[in-house]
Amino acid sequence: MTRVTEVTIGTRYHRLVATHAVTNQVPPLEDYDVLGTDPALVEAVARWGERADVDGLHALGLTAGSATTQRWADDADRNPPRLRTHRPTGERADDVDYHPAYHSLLRTAVANGLTAEPWTRPPGSRAHVRRAVGFVIWSQVEAGHGCPVSMTYAATPALRHDPDLAALWVPRLASREYEPELRPVGDKDGALCGMGMTEKQGGSDVRATTTRAEPAADGPVPGAAYRLTGHKWFCSAPMSDGFLMLAQTPGGLTCFVVPRVLDDGTRNPFALQRLKDKLGNRSNASSEVELDGSWGSRLGEEGRGVRTIIDMVAATRLDCVLGSAATMRAAVTRAVHHARHRSAFGTVLVDQPLMRVVLADLAVESEAATLLGMRLALAVDDQESAFLRLAVAAAKFWVCKRTAPMVAEALECLGGNGYVEENGLPRLYREAPLNSIWEGAGNVNALDVLRAVSREPLAVEGLDKELSQARGLDRRLDAAMDRTLAAVRAAASAEPVEAQLGARRLVQDVAVTLQAALLAQHSPSVVAETFVQSRLGDQDGRVFGTVPIGADAAGAIVERAFAG
Ligand SMILES: Cc1cc2nc3c(=O)[nH]c(=O)nc-3n(C[C@H](O)[C@H](O)[C@H](O)COP(=O)(O)OP(=O)(O)OC[C@H]3O[C@@H](n4cnc5c(N)ncnc54)[C@H](O)[C@@H]3O)c2cc1C
């Protein structure tokens, strides 16, 4: 029987006819512990983290999974930042206004020590592991505000090239206080940092930088003062307190700390020309900046700019891996949740054999990404620089590249609902390609791996040592490790053209072999077996869901994937 409801709204009478009841729709995925429902991450914390950090991380996981936080994410994404170039009176303002939800997200990230705090903890304290877990948890909420979080985390190793500048900046970048107002950094308890490398004529090739820096006798910035003139084509989070920037000096390409506010309280010239209209990452402002005699403090020696800023780049590359692992995790969680609640053809989707194998394949990919990212964070804590040199670039190449196809498949698991904004997958889909572009696009990272292979024997030794931990666990894995290490050593002495032509294959094999070695050591055998059999053998198809496994094994993997 048709149900009729009679209501009066204002002075109008309405007769509402309900033609149907809503069934077989999936309850919203909210009010859950993002950490507690992720067994691979829980195990990583138990294995590589500190017990004392566990409760705080679960609290962050609950906040991340709450309906309130998800609302912040939606609001921040749907209400992008707005540029105010001028004041009503005509003077330049160069301010960006953010939706309050963006500030709530960033404040929570800072308050949970996701910026530079680990660098201020004693070596061995597992502070980078704790922060990496927190970053993976919190990035699942919304990725755009993660950009200033990452850059603020990453600036410290570069700032340490100058002890005085480090003394001024690092405690503030490491603070848990969020102070978005622009003031002289010395007057603040908490600060954020960005970076300005990319220019119109060159991003990967920073030698093409045209911004010039002239030494100035004295100025309203600490240390060796210079004035910078030029432009930056991508400068994200422009309301940060300072930026590490490259500019040409008489001695060559040099790194600078460029503050937004000078020591005397006046604004540094920093003309925001426009904000980029981006595919995704919409809550984050990415600006074009004109520098016109802008003050900067030299960081490191003249001519050593790349050497200085590369320490920041290495740390942001780690965050690209962690951020992509988070995006994958958020996608797989939503896919599994949906499949557990939605029925088709009389059976809940998760029990349809073909859907199960798709979900299992996605879950294995996600676990491999999480494990590799966490292992790299542990290596930062343990100062394993030889291992990190090659492994971060390889992981950045592979994990970030896998994210886009992986999210697309997860989106399809939700059918038409996956394509609708309110279900969260479109935001993840738009975000998915970004980490692969940032901080060296795929080819640039592949070339960096080649550089490490051919010039830094210790980096190859570091890889060999890491892989050796998994020797004897699986004969196919042993064979893959032999093949990969032989290919790495062959690339070291190959002709440059030949080496480049094979670079993507080589880097893919390094990353996948590393992932397999980690899964073999630390994950349930059904997960490791599925990964090894499909990714290391010749049984991998060209789409997700082609892994050769039985229904029970697939079911066990999906069961583990989301303990919700
Ligand atoms: C949303 C967003 C925010 C950003 N924020 C910032 C920021 O805050 N600060 C900042 O400095 N930059 C920022 N960037 C810029 C980003 O880091 C660069 O876009 C990136 O490093 C690539 O540089 P490019 O765009 O100049 O591309 P190019 O250097 O022109 O590269 C184009 C393509 O060529 C490939 N390529 C380059 N060299 C070679 C080679 N030798 N062999 C083979 N292939 C090659 C690359 O892999 C890439 O695929 C941002 C970008 C985006 C999209």
Side-chain angles (χ1 to χ4, degrees):
M1 197 179 87
T2 307
R3 279 187 296 113
V4 175
T5 310
E6 296 177 350
V7 291
T8 304
I9 301 172
T11 55
R12 285 169 179 254
Y13 167 78
H14 298 262
R15 200 162 173 272
L16 303 175
V17 181
T19 58
H20 64 277
V22 176
T23 62
N24 198 25
Q25 284 284 344
V26 174
L29 178 58
E30 58 191 26
D31 295 326
Y32 70 106
D33 176 359
V34 170
L35 172 60
T37 50
D38 184 348
L41 199 55
V42 168
E43 291 161 15
V45 178
R47 184 170 53 246
W48 290 326
E50 289 285 350
R51 258 202 75 71
D53 293 327
V54 172
D55 289 350
L57 289 167
H58 278 291
L60 183 63
L62 281 165
T63 307
S66 74
T68 306
T69 302
Q70 295 191 26
R71 182 66 195 268
W72 290 346
D74 195 51
D75 284 346
D77 184 64
R78 285 173 190 262
N79 298 281
R82 287 185 12 201
L83 173 61
R84 267 187 305 115
T85 53
H86 291 80
R87 299 207 182 101
T89 44
E91 294 106 345
R92 284 210 74 105
D94 298 310
D95 280 331
V96 176
D97 296 328
Y98 294 93
H99 190 273
Y102 173 86
H103 289 297
S104 300
L105 290 165
L106 200 43
R107 180 174 292 107
T108 309
V110 171
N112 279 277
L114 302 187
T115 46
E117 190 188 76
W119 303 108
T120 61
R121 294 291 149 97
S125 63
R126 301 291 163 92
H128 291 277
V129 168
R130 188 205 67 78
R131 188 241 167 219
V133 175
F135 190 70
V136 169
I137 292 170
W138 194 245
S139 298
Q140 290 180 51
V141 176
E142 200 278 328
H145 78 286
C147 173
V149 173
S150 282
M151 293 193 292
T152 302
Y153 167 70
T156 297
L159 284 164
R160 285 180 172 164
H161 286 265
D162 185 312
D164 292 335
L165 288 173
L168 174 67
W169 282 91
V170 172
R172 292 166 175 92
L173 304 183
S175 162
R176 292 191 174 208
E177 297 293 322
Y178 176 59
E179 291 186 14
E181 310 79 27
L182 290 181
R183 291 199 304 277
V185 67
D187 296 349
K188 297 184 76 170
D189 290 327
L192 298 175
C193 190
M195 78 194 310
M197 290 203 296
T198 310
E199 299 192 353
K200 292 189 182 79
Q201 69 286 350
S204 316
D205 187 2
V206 290
R207 294 168 310 174
T209 299
T210 59
T211 297
R212 288 175 289 106
E214 306 286 342
D218 209 359
V221 288
Y226 285 64
R227 303 202 79 163
L228 280 70
T229 304
H231 78 279
K232 295 293 166 184
W233 181 232
F234 278 93
C235 184
S236 291
M239 296 304 281
S240 300
D241 298 277
F243 300 83
L244 300 201
M245 288 192 170
L246 291 178
Q248 302 286 359
T249 65
L253 196 58
T254 304
C255 188
F256 293 91
V257 181
V258 178
R260 285 236 41 197
V261 181
L262 300 169
D263 288 352
D264 59 12
T266 61
R267 288 279 184 101
N268 207 3
F270 203 87
L272 301 179
Q273 303 297 87
R274 56 176 180 161
L275 301 185
K276 304 287 193 189
D277 184 6
K278 297 176 291 185
L279 168 67
N281 202 256
R282 291 189 180 161
S283 70
N284 177 34
S286 297
S287 66
E288 295 169 18
V289 181
E290 290 288 328
L291 305 168
D292 184 9
S294 313
W295 290 95
S297 307
R298 195 186 70 225
L299 182 62
E301 291 166 31
E302 277 196 9
R304 303 274 292 163
V306 174
R307 183 62 211 90
T308 306
I309 209 164
I310 202 73
D311 290 338
M312 180 173 188
V313 172
T316 47
R317 281 183 181 170
L318 168 61
D319 265 18
C320 288
V321 177
L322 296 169
S324 287
T327 302
M328 285 194 199
R329 174 66 197 167
V332 87
T333 305
R334 277 159 183 73
V336 171
H337 175 73
H338 185 90
R340 283 180 182 160
H341 291 88
R342 175 85 168 177
S343 296
F345 301 97
T347 307
V348 72
L349 281 173
V350 77
D351 289 335
Q352 300 278 12
L354 184 51
M355 179 56 95
R356 243 191 222 188
V357 73
V358 172
L359 292 170
D361 205 355
L362 295 174
V364 163
E365 190 70 29
S366 169
E367 181 157 346
T370 300
L371 220 50
L372 183 52
M374 294 310 303
R375 174 64 187 92
L376 295 175
L378 176 71
V380 178
D381 268 320
D382 291 349
Q383 303 183 341
E384 299 173 71
S385 51
F387 171 57
L388 287 167
R389 174 65 190 91
L390 204 156
V392 170
K396 156 79 165 79
F397 173 88
W398 180 245
V399 172
C400 299
K401 273 220 174 295
R402 287 294 270 178
T403 308
M406 197 271 189
V407 172
E409 194 66 61
L411 183 154
E412 192 174 321
C413 292
L414 275 72
N417 284 355
Y419 207 67
V420 174
E421 289 288 342
E422 64 200 8
N423 294 309
L425 264 301
R427 197 168 75 231
L428 296 175
Y429 185 73
R430 290 195 304 272
E431 194 65 34
L434 181 54
N435 279 319
S436 193
I437 297 170
W438 260 342
E439 308 303 337
N443 285 354
V444 171
N445 266 271
L447 292 173
D448 195 35
V449 170
L450 281 190
R451 234 180 339 267
V453 160
S454 59
R455 293 190 202 157
E456 298 178 49
L458 284 179
V460 179
E461 271 178 42
L463 174 69
D464 194 341
K465 186 170 155 224
E466 174 67 17
L467 292 177
S468 71
Q469 311 287 320
R471 283 273 171 206
L473 294 177
D474 184 298
R475 117 194 105 63
R476 295 157 301 177
L477 176 55
D478 284 348
M481 293 194 286
D482 291 340
R483 271 197 313 273
T484 301
L485 286 167
V488 164
R489 293 193 167 108
S493 52
E495 287 297 314
V497 172
E498 289 305 311
Q500 284 201 24
L501 292 174
R504 279 189 171 224
R505 179 80 219 189
L506 180 79
V507 179
Q508 168 190 300
D509 289 351
V510 167
V512 171
T513 309
L514 272 171
Q515 289 182 320
L518 288 166
L519 291 169
Q521 291 170 81
H522 306 299
S523 293
S525 57
V526 68
V527 174
E529 171 65 24
T530 303
F531 190 91
V532 167
Q533 203 180 352
S534 56
R535 272 65 165 178
L536 296 185
D538 52 8
Q539 299 192 46
D540 198 12
R542 290 191 168 78
V543 290
F544 284 101
T546 50
V547 282
I549 50 171
D552 288 348
I557 293 171
V558 176
E559 190 59 31
R560 167 181 169 78
F562 181 44

